Amino acid sequence: MNMFIPANPYDMNCPSRDLLDLIGDKWSILIVCCLQQGPVRTGALMRQVGGISQKMLTQTLRELETNGFVERISYPEVPPRVEYRLTELGISFSALARTMEQWVIAHYEQILLHRDQAQGA
Amino acid sequence: MNMFIPANPYDMNCPSRDLLDLIGDKWSILIVCCLQQGPVRTGALMRQVGGISQKMLTQTLRELETNGFVERISYPEVPPRVEYRLTELGISFSALARTMEQWVIAHYEQILLHRDQAQGA
DNA sequence: CTGAATCCAAGAAGATACTG
DNA sequence: CAGTATCTTCTTGGATTCAG
């Protein structure tokens, strides 16, 4: 049934557009990077990713789950304990996410300086 | 004057957050990839990036310009002719953008399949 | 052709309150 | 602790129109 239609992000109707959105999403990137060293609990994620609301955290985790990036692990305990773990696909993506993070960190100062320049001019 | 405050995307108040948004932006990525082989005219970009509105094209190009990713080249002709060209920083980013594009294309099918699975379950 | 400005609808995201 | 639901706010982005 699968026609092997190749992905083409330049086509506005290609589903890969959504994927591009997902992997470019700020929260996705930060969350996935947090999960690189191993499973992390919900509350810990909340604390690590500064400023994320509980809603956006859950929502992003669900999207990552739906697309096969993370696995949700629920322990039958009281109070509840839930962890999220990268899948193989998620690990693959986390490398990219980390690259993005590093790129930003590496060029941060240069870009800020250019911005100030542009403002002054 | 510069204190060399390191970038920290996990801090909601760090300007690197905005950068992360910019380099993760769908339009940014597609546009920058279009510019990889050399300067491109506005109209050509419009046609290559399927579904982008004139507003978003201009807006994204301005942001890329402000942050030092692209240069705007305006020729004194009638009718007007404008080209956009990657700066050195832009070229650096374009490598990352291309990686993102390629990652999506490479994992496209696997992710779609997982989505269907999740739906069926 | 390039692009700026306006208007407006749709969607994103925060805050809050509540459940298991 | 983890997650859902609702409400409200406001940003995003498209369509349109006008100008150089």
Side-chain angles (χ1 to χ4, degrees), chain B residues 96-115:
Chain B
L96 182 53
R98 187 131 189 88
T99 303
M100 295 175 71
E101 243 188 42
Q102 298 297 354
W103 192 93
V104 166
I105 293 173
H107 298 84
Y108 173 70
E109 201 173 311
Q110 177 184 357
I111 295 173
L112 288 195
L113 286 175
H114 184 280
R115 255 191 223 172

Side-chain angles (χ1 to χ4, degrees), chain A residues 4 7 10 12 15 17 19 24 30 33 50 65-68 89 92 100-101 103 107-109 111 114-115, chain B residues 4 7 10 12 15 17 19 23-24 30 33 50 65-68 89 92 100-101 103 107-109 111 114-115:
Chain A
F4 294 105
Y10 292 92
M12 64 181 292
R17 271 282 174 85
L19 289 184
L30 295 175
C33 283
E65 206 185 346
T66 302
N67 289 281
L89 180 69
S92 166
M100 295 175 70
E101 243 187 42
W103 192 92
H107 298 85
Y108 174 68
E109 201 174 310
I111 294 173
H114 184 281
R115 254 192 225 170
Chain B
F4 294 104
Y10 292 92
M12 63 182 294
R17 271 283 174 86
L19 289 185
I23 73 163
L30 295 176
C33 283
E65 208 186 343
T66 302
N67 290 280
L89 180 69
S92 166
M100 295 175 71
E101 243 188 42
W103 192 93
H107 298 84
Y108 173 70
E109 201 173 311
I111 295 173
H114 184 280
R115 255 191 223 172

Side-chain angles (χ1 to χ4, degrees), chain A residues 2 4-12 14-21 23-27 29-31 33-34 48-52 64-69 88-89 92-93 96 98-101 103-105 107-115 118, chain B residues 2 4-12 14-21 23-27 29-31 33-34 48-52 64-69 88-89 92-93 96 98-101 103-105 107-115 118:
Chain A
N2 196 311
F4 294 105
I5 299 172
N8 174 22
Y10 292 92
D11 174 6
M12 64 181 292
C14 179
S16 65
R17 271 282 174 85
D18 304 334
L19 289 184
L20 208 51
D21 271 339
I23 72 163
D25 180 71
K26 178 178 52 186
W27 301 133
I29 295 169
L30 295 175
I31 290 173
C33 283
C34 285
Q48 286 180 53
V49 182
I52 195 171
L64 291 172
E65 206 185 346
T66 302
N67 289 281
F69 289 71
E88 205 176 319
L89 180 69
S92 166
F93 169 54
L96 181 54
R98 188 131 188 86
T99 304
M100 295 175 70
E101 243 187 42
W103 192 92
V104 166
I105 293 172
H107 298 85
Y108 174 68
E109 201 174 310
Q110 177 184 357
I111 294 173
L112 288 196
L113 286 177
H114 184 281
R115 254 192 225 170
Chain B
N2 196 309
F4 294 104
I5 300 172
N8 175 21
Y10 292 92
D11 173 6
M12 63 182 294
C14 178
S16 65
R17 271 283 174 86
D18 304 332
L19 289 185
L20 208 51
D21 271 338
I23 73 163
D25 180 70
K26 178 178 50 184
W27 301 133
I29 295 169
L30 295 176
I31 289 173
C33 283
C34 284
Q48 286 180 52
V49 181
I52 194 171
L64 291 172
E65 208 186 343
T66 302
N67 290 280
F69 290 71
E88 205 176 319
L89 180 69
S92 166
F93 170 54
L96 182 53
R98 187 131 189 88
T99 303
M100 295 175 71
E101 243 188 42
W103 192 93
V104 166
I105 293 173
H107 298 84
Y108 173 70
E109 201 173 311
Q110 177 184 357
I111 295 173
L112 288 195
L113 286 175
H114 184 280
R115 255 191 223 172

